[in-house]
Amino acid sequence: MHSPLTRRGFLATGSGLAAATVLPGLSGCSALTGADSDPDTLVVHSQLGTTAPGSPTYLAALDRFRKENPGLKVKNLINGDDLAQVYETSRLARKEPDVVMVNLYDKTLAWTDVGATVDVKGYLDDWGLRDRVLPQALAEWTDAKGRVRAFPYFATNWPIAFNRALLDRAGVEQIPTTGDELIAAARKLRAKGIAPVTVGGNDWTGQKLLAQIIQTFLTEDEARHAYTTGDFGSRGAREGIEYFVTLRDAGVFADKAQGLTSDTMTTQFNTQAAAIESAMSSALAKVPEKVARHTEVGGWPLTGGAVHDKPTILRTYTLIGFWISPNGTKKIDAVEKFLRFMYRPDTVSRFIKESGRDMALRSDTLSTDFPLVAAAQRLGSTVSQALLPDVYVPPAAAQPLITATSTSFTRGTSAAKVRAALETAYRSA
C-alpha cells in the first residue's frame, strides 16, 4: 500500500509541520511524553513490563540497576504490539527514548537505514561486549551493509509441542513424524473430541507455521528468495503450499483456525483442549506443570520428497534487542552503563532461570524450572531447521502476509488461491 509520504521519508525528514500534524492523533502514547533531555535520566522504551514473558525479571533488573547507579535515573516506557509505531512518532518529534527494546521485525527492519536508530557495531566493540553474543545472533542482527542494528538479547527455539497424554487417550502410539501419521493422529484425536493442531490462523503464529510447512520443499536459499521477493511460483513453493492444503483439508488444524489467535492457541493447548501446537520458548514456559510433564517437543512432520531429512523447527536470535536512538548517543555513557549491566552474566542468568527465556548471549545457565524450554534447547541436530522469514519479508508486506494467512487457513481455499494471496500481499505493499 503506497502513501504520498513514504515511511522512509516520514522518518528521515521529520519536519516540525509533519510532527504537528501527526502527534495529536497519538497523544495518549506514553513515548510521546517520555523523552527526557536530562543527562542524568535514561529513557528506555520496552515491550517488557506487563504480561510479556520475562517482564518481572526485567523490572527487577531495573530496580537493581537503579540501586547500583543512584546518580542515574531510569524512566521506563512500556508499549505492546504498537511500540514500533509509537517509537516512530516520537522519533519524528525528536523526542524519542534513548534505548528501545523490540524485535527485529516488520517496521524495525528499516530503522537503521533511515537513521531512526544507530549502528551499534562500534559500541559493541568499544565496550568489549562482542564476545558475549552468540555468532548466529550477531549474524542475524547485522544488515547487508555490515551494520549491527542493535545489541542482541533474546532468542527462541520454536518446536512443535505434543501432549503425549492426549495422544495416548486417542490411541496414537507414536509422535507423528510424517504427514500421513499426522493426518491419522488428527482423525483419532477428533474422534475423542480433542482438537489436533491448534494455531493462531489469524495472526503471526499462523503465518510462521504456514511458512514452516511451505519450506518442507524449499532449501534455505530458495526460502530466502521466496520471502524476500514474494515469488511463490517455484516448484518447491507450490509443493509446500499443496502439502499445507492437504493437511488443512484433512482436518489437521483446529476448527475455525482462520479465526484463532496466539492467545486462543495457547489457551487451547494449556487447557488440553488441543493436543499439538507450534510453540516458541515463551509459550513453552507458560505451559502448566501438569501439562508440561506429559508433553514432548519435536519437529513438524514431513512428507515424501521433502528437502529436509528430519522434522523441522524454527529458531531465531532476533527477539528483543537493545536499539540505541539518536537521542541515546547524547547520553552514551548512561547507555553504556545500562547495556553493560544487562549483558552481565548474572543478569542474563536470571532471565533464563526465572523466566525461561532463550538468550542470544553466551551462558551456561539452564532453564531448569522450565523443562519444555530446556527440552527444546536440547533438540539440537535431532531436528532440521526451517528459515524464519521475518528479516527477509519487506516491512510493508508483513501485515498483508498475516491477512493472507487467515485466508490460507480457511478450509476449501485451493492451493492456487493460497499462493495468490501470499503473492498479493507483496504486490499490494
Side-chain angles (χ1 to χ4, degrees):
M1 181 180 301
H2 299 285
S3 64
L5 178 61
T6 65
R7 195 163 60 82
R8 177 185 291 269
F10 176 83
L11 284 169
T13 58
S15 70
L17 176 60
T21 302
V22 175
L23 288 175
L26 294 173
S27 59
C29 299
S30 57
L32 297 182
T33 59
D36 197 320
S37 59
D38 178 359
D40 296 324
T41 298
L42 180 69
V43 184
V44 181
H45 194 186
S46 176
Q47 290 181 307
L48 298 179
T50 54
T51 60
S55 292
T57 301
Y58 171 65
L59 295 176
L62 283 184
D63 287 342
R64 291 198 307 280
F65 180 74
R66 291 184 177 107
K67 290 178 182 176
E68 292 182 17
N69 299 274
L72 177 61
K73 300 175 185 176
V74 179
K75 182 180 290 186
N76 186 43
L77 306 175
I78 302 170
N79 279 103
D81 291 341
D82 59 342
L83 182 146
Q85 183 63 48
V86 173
Y87 174 77
E88 291 188 358
T89 305
S90 65
R91 170 60 191 153
L92 178 64
R94 299 297 190 261
K95 292 183 177 180
E96 78 276 8
D98 305 312
V99 175
V100 192
M101 297 171 60
V102 68
N103 300 356
L104 179 61
Y105 173 62
D106 196 1
K107 292 176 181 291
T108 68
L109 288 166
W111 281 1
T112 307
D113 211 31
V114 299
T117 53
V118 303
D119 176 8
V120 306
K121 181 179 179 181
Y123 298 123
L124 194 64
D125 291 330
D126 292 346
W127 300 344
L129 298 178
R130 175 182 287 269
D131 289 343
R132 294 279 296 119
V133 185
L134 293 172
Q136 304 96 315
L138 197 58
E140 291 189 5
W141 282 91
T142 301
D143 69 12
K145 296 180 180 177
R147 299 172 298 198
V148 182
R149 293 168 161 123
F151 285 76
Y153 208 56
F154 286 168
T156 190
N157 283 292
W158 206 324
I160 308 300
F162 300 90
N163 185 319
R164 183 77 233 192
L166 294 182
L167 292 175
D168 288 344
R169 188 190 307 172
V172 180
E173 296 181 355
Q174 301 291 333
I175 298 293
T177 59
T178 70
D180 288 343
E181 290 175 359
L182 181 59
I183 291 171
R187 288 172 179 158
K188 291 181 177 180
L189 288 163
R190 285 183 174 277
K192 292 293 184 180
I194 302 168
V197 179
T198 180
V199 61
N202 196 35
D203 68 13
W204 55 276
T205 53
Q207 185 220 345
K208 301 300 184 292
L209 183 57
L210 173 61
Q212 183 176 347
I213 296 172
I214 290 174
Q215 289 181 60
T216 300
F217 296 94
L218 292 177
T219 66
E220 183 174 317
D221 285 344
E222 290 169 341
R224 188 178 296 110
H225 170 79
Y227 279 94
T228 300
T229 64
D231 174 11
F232 293 88
S234 69
R235 186 177 67 176
R238 286 185 281 111
E239 289 179 340
I241 293 171
E242 289 170 0
Y243 179 43
F244 167 80
V245 168
T246 297
L247 295 176
R248 184 202 62 200
D249 289 348
V252 160
F253 302 109
D255 291 342
K256 300 179 180 177
Q258 72 275 16
L260 302 183
T261 66
S262 57
D263 287 340
T264 49
M265 178 191 80
T266 301
T267 299
Q268 286 191 347
F269 188 83
N270 290 354
T271 60
Q272 306 197 77
I276 305 168
E277 69 170 348
S278 168
M280 60 193 305
S281 305
S282 55
L284 293 174
K286 288 183 175 181
V287 175
E289 192 277 335
K290 66 178 182 180
V291 180
R293 65 171 173 256
H294 48 67
T295 294
E296 298 180 22
V297 295
W300 185 261
L302 302 177
T303 190
V307 300
H308 299 272
D309 58 357
K310 299 167 187 172
T312 62
I313 70 167
L314 298 170
R315 290 191 179 105
T316 185
Y317 299 88
T318 56
L319 299 191
I320 288 177
F322 296 95
W323 307 66
I324 299 177
S325 74
N327 272 341
T329 62
K330 301 172 186 174
K331 306 177 190 174
I332 202 62
D333 290 345
V335 173
E336 179 181 358
K337 286 182 181 178
F338 181 67
L339 264 298
R340 284 186 180 281
F341 175 84
M342 296 302 291
Y343 262 46
R344 237 166 49 185
D346 61 315
T347 304
V348 172
S349 290
R350 292 186 69 159
F351 276 103
I352 297 171
K353 294 178 68 175
E354 296 174 4
S355 303
R357 298 297 317 222
D358 283 321
M359 306 299 291
L361 306 181
R362 300 180 191 277
S363 176
D364 294 328
T365 304
L366 297 176
S367 299
T368 52
D369 291 338
F370 301 90
L372 295 182
V373 176
Q377 293 168 345
R378 290 194 297 267
L379 282 172
S381 60
T382 63
V383 291
S384 185
Q385 185 171 335
L387 181 81
L388 185 75
D390 286 5
V391 299
Y392 304 106
V393 176
Q399 288 306 312
L401 264 185
I402 289 178
T403 302
T405 298
S406 181
T407 300
S408 304
F409 274 92
T410 302
R411 280 204 194 192
T413 305
S414 69
K417 287 185 177 178
V418 170
R419 175 189 164 192
L422 295 174
E423 294 183 342
T424 298
Y426 284 75
R427 286 198 295 270
S428 62

